[in-house]
Amino acid sequence: MAVTKIRKVSSWTLISIVVISVIVVLAFFFGGSHVEGERTIYHQTGLLLTWSYILFGAAVLAALFFSFGSFAKGFKNNPKKAMMSLASFVLLAVVLLIGYAAGSEEAMTSLNADSARYNTPGWLKVTDMWLYTIYTLGTLVILATVWGAARKSLKR
């Protein structure tokens, strides 16, 4: 069985992301820390946050790219299906906006110097937006998986 070029690219992309993620997590946990009171403060918090933002940004850009690509390609063949593709983009934008609006601006206390620079209202709202979007999309993926499995078993 021949491996297609897109399969090779996606496999190497996944491997690269996993390797970098493991390195970032190891740097976070083993890159130094100190104890303040009863809390352990890790020195590489900024690196972990930055990598998380990069991954989420890449996921959003990929979603936008494939959503618009699917829309443009599908509009010629099946306009109704193309509108569903556009609806998924609009839904993602709505979830992001609601997540940002629901985010808290309340400053966190007892942060180290690496983390304190992100303790601004804008970054706090953006962080909450990412988290709420992850929760929402994760829930939708689980529901879609259960729905698909149930629908498939009912067709038998």
Side-chain angles (χ1 to χ4, degrees), residues 51-62:
W51 182 241
S52 299
Y53 293 144
I54 288 170
L55 287 178
F56 191 79
V60 169
L61 288 177

Side-chain angles (χ1 to χ4, degrees), residues 47-137:
L47 176 65
L48 184 65
L49 286 171
T50 302
W51 182 241
S52 299
Y53 293 144
I54 288 170
L55 287 178
F56 191 79
V60 169
L61 288 177
L64 292 174
F65 176 76
F66 289 113
S67 177
F68 283 132
S70 175
F71 177 73
K73 183 179 175 184
F75 196 74
K76 293 178 185 175
N77 302 333
N78 189 348
K80 185 177 180 181
K81 186 176 179 182
M83 294 310 282
M84 289 300 291
S85 174
L86 186 61
S88 67
F89 165 70
V90 171
L91 181 63
L92 176 63
V94 167
V95 168
L96 286 168
L97 290 172
I98 290 172
Y100 185 81
S104 173
E105 293 181 349
E106 184 178 334
M108 297 167 58
T109 58
S110 302
L111 295 176
N112 66 4
D114 283 341
S115 302
R117 70 174 180 230
Y118 299 106
N119 201 19
T120 61
W123 277 114
L124 293 168
K125 286 182 78 73
V126 167
T127 301
D128 284 348
M129 176 185 71
W130 300 139
L131 292 172
Y132 296 151
T133 303
I134 289 168
Y135 301 154
T136 303
L137 294 179

Side-chain angles (χ1 to χ4, degrees), residues 34 36 98 104 124 141 156:
H34 65 278
E36 289 181 8
I98 290 172
S104 173
L124 293 168
V141 165
R156 289 182 187 175

Side-chain angles (χ1 to χ4, degrees), residues 30-43:
F30 300 110
S33 64
H34 65 278
V35 177
E36 289 181 8
E38 296 180 12
R39 295 170 38 142
T40 301
I41 308 297
Y42 295 96
H43 297 171

